[in-house]
Amino acid sequence: LWLSAHAFREPAAGEITVILDRDGLRVTMFKVDHPPIVPAVGYRFEYGGRSLVVSGDTKKSANLERNASGVDLLVHEALSPELMGVIQRAAEVSGNAAVAKIASDVLDYHASPVEVAEIAASAHVGHLLYYHVVPPMPIPGLSTIFLNGVQDVFDGPITLGRDGTSISLPSGSDEIRILNK
């Protein structure tokens, strides 16, 4: 069955685990760097001459870059250190030590938007889509702060995903359709 759960061993750095290779669809899993959470993995999907990588939570890593090499679409999480700094300072001022600590700690195991752009540029990906955006972007204009410096690093198309973002990579085409609802 296509939708049944299966356990897989976490691949070592530099290795991949083939999750599925059937009817032209190949899905591989690779290790990402997300301490203290272990295991942490990303996935590469290939079908009909198209490819994409979904990062999973991670900080910048050579293994992720290697597995994203040449993909049509890189779907990568990102966390804005600048915006999280604002949240941390506000929590400290208001006496909320728990939120201040979380806002500080998460910086150690997530990639910044610019680091993700560096991965996309080095891996020569066709399109970069940010997902699992931290902090969320509820107010127009925050996206400008979130994406500050990204276009200085990656000159390809960029999408800041949000709930409801839809992606289509038609086989036999170079087109990528992304609908941000």
Side-chain angles (χ1 to χ4, degrees), residues 8-181:
F8 294 94
R9 177 188 61 81
E10 177 189 24
E15 295 180 3
I16 62 167
T17 297
V18 177
I19 302 295
L20 180 70
D21 197 350
R22 184 186 313 158
D23 301 328
L25 173 62
R26 181 176 167 88
V27 181
T28 55
M29 174 177 71
F30 55 91
K31 183 180 182 84
V32 297
D33 196 7
H34 187 53
I37 308 303
V38 177
V41 298
Y43 298 93
R44 182 173 174 130
F45 300 82
E46 298 172 272
Y47 180 78
R50 306 307 301 270
S51 58
L52 72 95
V53 160
V54 179
S55 70
D57 283 359
T58 184
K59 58 186 182 178
K60 185 178 177 184
S61 75
N63 198 43
L64 189 142
E65 183 179 316
R66 185 174 32 263
N67 282 283
S69 181
V71 296
D72 296 301
L73 177 66
L74 173 59
V75 181
H76 202 297
E77 64 89 25
L79 177 144
S80 170
E82 183 177 359
L83 293 172
M84 291 307 291
V86 170
I87 291 169
Q88 179 186 1
R89 289 186 296 279
E92 288 168 349
V93 167
S94 70
N96 192 334
V99 170
K101 180 162 178 32
I102 291 168
S104 173
D105 288 351
V106 295
L107 299 174
D108 294 338
Y109 45 87
H110 291 277
S112 75
V114 170
E115 289 171 327
V116 174
E118 291 168 351
I119 293 167
S122 294
H124 306 286
V125 305
H127 192 112
L128 172 58
L129 185 143
Y130 291 97
Y131 86 110
H132 186 36
V133 172
V134 178
M137 302 284 118
I139 302 168
L142 283 181
S143 60
T144 301
I145 297 168
F146 185 87
L147 294 172
N148 186 35
V150 166
Q151 291 186 323
D152 297 336
V153 177
F154 179 66
D155 61 3
I158 298 165
T159 300
L160 183 58
R162 54 183 185 255
D163 287 349
T165 296
S166 174
I167 305 163
S168 175
L169 283 85
S171 64
S173 168
D174 289 336
E175 181 182 11
I176 296 176
R177 291 182 224 133
I178 299 181
L179 175 63
N180 255 339
K181 294 181 180 185

